[in-house]
Every structure is written in structure tokens, then in C-alpha cells.
Amino acid sequence: MLLLRRCHSLTRFVSFNTHRYQVAPAVAWCAARLLSSSSEEQRWYRHAHGPRWRHAVAGLLAGTGAVLAYGLHHHQAEQSDSVSVQTVEQTSALPVFTQEEVHSHRTVEDGVWVTYKGGVYDITEFVAMHPGGEKILLAAGGALEPFWALYAVHNSEHVLEILSEYKVGELSAEDQKKQQTVKSSDPYSSDPERHPAMRINSLKPFNAEPPPEILSDSYITPSAIFFKRNHLPVPQVDPESYQLQVEVEGQSEGGLSLSLKDLKTKFQKHTITATLQCAGNRRSEMNKVKQVKGLNWGIAAISNATWSGARLRDVLMAAGYRSNMSQKMRHVQFEGLDKDVTGTTYGASIPLNKALSEEGDVLLAYEMNGEDLPADHGYPVRVIVPGTVGARNVKWLGKIIVSAEESSSHWQQNDYKGFSPGTDWDTVDFKSAPAIQELPIQSAITTPADGTVVDRSSEEVTVKGYAWSGGGREVVRVDVSVDGGKTWQVAQLRNSEKGQEPQPSPPPGRAWAWKLWEVTAPLPPEAQEIEIVCKAVDNSYNMQPDTVPPIWNLRGVLSNAWHRVKVKIREDESEE
């Protein structure tokens, strides 16, 4: 029946395009598939629609805990594809489609099409059976490879066999070979390729966040979908000629110059797991109260990774800093290699005591998730200041200065500061507020999404999310309500990949990484819509405010009110 429906759809489509496609081979292919459909295949189809199959594979997905790097997967896929595009098109009995035609099939109503290694697949029938739920729709109208690379379970023969049943054509040779053309005069022309799952807030400079439902799948966020916050074009840095300048103001000697090799060989390598969060995370919720200035971030401008590199403390000591130097030295300034059209670089600074603390864990990182830093995340060297707002974690690091003064950068002096809800752009005085360093307690719901519909027959709803607090404060509890905050349940926290042993609690003041959480709650009887709310508590008993208006500010930063999503409940038709 599945094949009949697919073939009917195909022949109907082909009949309108006989000037481009060979109808007979397409129909012949469908007939051949129908004749060759074995009883085993039919049993698989019936079994695949059953709940046991879905639950079993969903468990496999959840238990793998394995994440593949998108770049490596993409490279291997290219190398393994030895048959030329032209040969495929000449020998295939299936019709040829353009990328534009594939892109027009992005919904269940229009049909869900995807491409994989040059093939075109109509997976409309499979959407409801997908163990990962509707996440498969993220690839609708485009390529599967970038999305499959996030989950190791897809890299197996049986998954490819399932996919092969849905093949309806080939992607045109032109679209397979097409590469994005860029203009050399565009300062963003050398920016790296980004994962198509990212939800873009601005292209130039590039700023994007992953879909929330993907964000909470992994304790360690894959580098490809780690949120990206750029202020300027991504610089092209030659690792062989790279030099990091380190200066101490007032020092008679000329400071220190370090190559990438120096950082890797002259200083002990240190690794931490740390969450970075943009100051504007969840700004969209402040925009609903009153419009603010800034990128309209959702809840996913936050991610968690492992970082490796030299301790900033060790480098400052090697550069000649000593504790008996002038007491006026209070800041460490950072300058990036990213520049605007005037040559002005991105800059920021942190307190000196954070930089020098043995427990501060500030790194000059050259690795992310066990590999060289990706271009979007500061290659070859960036600062990681755990527990501190993302804006101070300067990327593409070019210079470090120990100084009596804060950085004079615009982003330190005239941005990333919080103000009263009553302050507007006519009355604001940026000098009157301190620069944001440590961030407040935060949590958000990643699934279900706002507006989700659940069936009454399911009797319960599973809620997932993240929680984190700045300054090394550990999240100790997340409370979740499914009735708008009238009653509460305590969520289960985890600090490792699903299926792995929990990590021991970090030393006090050094809880740099988030915690993922989950709770399953019964659906309130007779309710047609529910409001799900979450709030987190850290080990200093800091808690999130319950509403946005009291914390609203003109830049939309520090948005950490209780997160709320509304879910509709659909009654079982058989009971109506």
C-alpha cells in the first residue's frame, strides 16, 4: 500500500512534466518495486507502524550518546561517493529533479522531500514513524547529511535500507555540483559554511541558534550547532604565522609574543566543560513586552562544550606579571583579530582577579570538543571565561593587556549592560552601569515547543530543558509546573550524556556547565490547554523572577524570567 501511494504520487507528478521526465521508466520502477515487495517487507511495514518499533528505536537513539562531527561526516560522504553524477543520471530509471523542486516539498500537505548523496526521497509517509519525532522535518526540502551527522545511529546499514524504500528520483547534476558563489568584495565572503539547522537571526554578521529540540539532545553541544554570535566578519588567520601579543602596562620590557605552537608546547594543557550564553538569550520574550534593540534571540543562544588550552594565569605569569606590581592593575583586556571597515577590532575585558585565580579556569583555548576551534568559534585561539557572559569570551584572540582600566571597546563601555525598566534611549547613561560579567540563574523549556498539540489519550506530557547559573554556581533544582505555576514538580537533573554515568559535583564555585533536565507530568483532567512553566534554583538559592516586565531593559539583556510554553490538548476522537 505504501508503494502504491508513492507510485500514484509519482506518476501524477510526472504526468505534468512529461517534457522533462521519462514517464515509462518511472512507472516501470514502481511496478518493479510492487512485484518485488516480499512478504518480509510487508511485515516490516506493518511492524514499523506499531508502537513497539517506534519505542525501541527511540530508545536506541536516546541511548547512543554519540555525536559525529558534521565536517568529518561530510568529508567521508564525499569521498565514499565514487560514482559520478553524470553516470547516475544516465543509468537511473528514476526522474531527475532540481533543488528548487525538492525545496517546494517541505510540509506533510505538499509532501516531504529530502536529498541524500544525490538521490531524492519522498519521506512523507515516514514522518509519523520517525523515532526522533518531527525533528526530521528540519531537513525538509534540503539535504539529510548535516542532520544525520548529529546522530550516530543514522550511520548504519539498516537505516540506509529504510531510506532506500522512499527514493523517487535523482537530484540534477547541476544542483549536485553547484557551489555557492561569493563576491570577493564582500567582507563576509570568506565566512565558513554553517549547518542548515541553525535558525538565523542575522547573516552579516552571522548570528544563529539551533532549534531548541536539538539543543537539549546532547549534554555536550556539537560544534556545528553551537550557537554563533559574531559581531564582525570571520577573520582568516594563518596558524603558522599567528602571534599572540601579551602586555603588562608599566612594564619596562616589551611583553611576550607567542605562536600557536608556543601555546601548545610551553604551557600545560587544561580542559574544562563550560557553558556559554549570549547576554541577549531569550530577548524575544522582552520584545513581547516592549520592543528593544538587538537580535531577536529565542531560548537557544546558549550551548555547552569542552574547551582545552593554556591557562590565562600561566601565560600572564610568563609575560612577567607579578602580584607585587601596582595595585592599580585591575583588568585584563582582550582584542580580537576580527575588524570592521575602519580597522577597529572587537574587544572586551574581565577583572584581573578572575584571570589570575587558580579556581577561575580562564583558558586561552585552541580546542573545542576535542578538535581545533572551528572558524566561527575563534580559530586558532579564543578566551574562555567560564561563568561569564559570552561577550567577554573574545574569539580570534590577537592581544592581551593587563591594565588599570577596562577595555575601551564599544562592547565593553556602551553595550552589554543592564538598566532599569524605566530607562529609555533618551535617558540612558552607559557609564552609570557596570559591564555584565557573571550571568544570573537561567532555565528554559526546549520541548514541547509553544503551541504543540498533544493527544488526551497520552495522559501525560514529557517536558525537557536546560538550566545554568553564572559565576560557577551550581544548579541544584528545577521546578516544573503544568498548570501555570499553581502546583510544581521537581525535574530530574543530569550532567552527562544520556545513558552515561553522572559526573561528580564540581568543587564549590566551579560549576561551569549547564544541567539538562526532564520531567513527565500527568495532563490535568478536562483542560483543553495547559501552560508549562519552569524555574531553576542554584546553590546560592538564587531563583528566576516570575515575569518579564520587572526585568525588561532597553537592550533586552539578562532575560531570565520563568519560561512558559502553552500546549493544546486534543481530545480522542473515538471518545467524542
Side-chain angles (χ1 to χ4, degrees), residues 203-264:
L203 278 172
K204 299 178 182 182
F206 189 81
N207 291 280
E209 58 190 304
E213 64 271 25
I214 290 182
L215 179 65
S216 59
D217 277 344
S218 303
Y219 177 70
I220 300 297
T221 310
S223 302
I225 61 167
F226 196 103
F227 86 94
K228 292 162 178 61
R229 175 63 174 111
N230 295 337
H231 297 83
L232 300 163
V234 175
Q236 298 293 295
V237 185
D238 180 4
E240 297 299 322
S241 60
Y242 171 79
Q243 291 289 313
L244 172 63
Q245 305 300 320
V246 187
E247 302 175 6
V248 179
E249 285 185 353
Q251 195 176 45
S252 57
E253 298 180 3
L256 184 66
S257 182
L258 297 170
S259 67
L260 181 59
K261 182 179 180 180
D262 290 335
L263 281 172
K264 292 182 175 181

Side-chain angles (χ1 to χ4, degrees), residues 166-195:
Y166 296 89
K167 190 168 185 178
V168 295
E170 304 288 351
L171 188 63
S172 71
E174 181 182 356
D175 282 314
Q176 287 194 53
K177 296 193 302 182
K178 188 180 295 180
Q179 296 180 353
Q180 184 179 6
T181 58
V182 295
K183 297 179 180 179
S184 59
S185 60
D186 183 354
Y188 293 92
S189 63
S190 58
D191 271 18
E193 183 180 355
R194 279 88 180 207
H195 198 286

Side-chain angles (χ1 to χ4, degrees), residues 283-316:
R283 180 179 283 131
S284 57
E285 293 163 59
M286 286 195 173
N287 272 324
K288 292 177 182 178
V289 174
K290 182 181 177 183
Q291 194 69 31
V292 301
K293 290 187 178 180
L295 297 170
N296 195 41
W297 292 108
I299 66 167
I302 182 172
S303 301
N304 191 49
T306 57
W307 311 92
S308 299
R311 294 178 190 264
L312 175 60
R313 182 179 188 276
D314 295 343
V315 171
L316 294 182

Side-chain angles (χ1 to χ4, degrees), residues 73-83 116-117:
H73 179 91
H74 185 65
H75 179 67
Q76 290 174 336
E78 287 182 335
Q79 287 194 335
S80 64
D81 204 2
S82 56
V83 180
Y116 181 74
K117 290 188 176 180

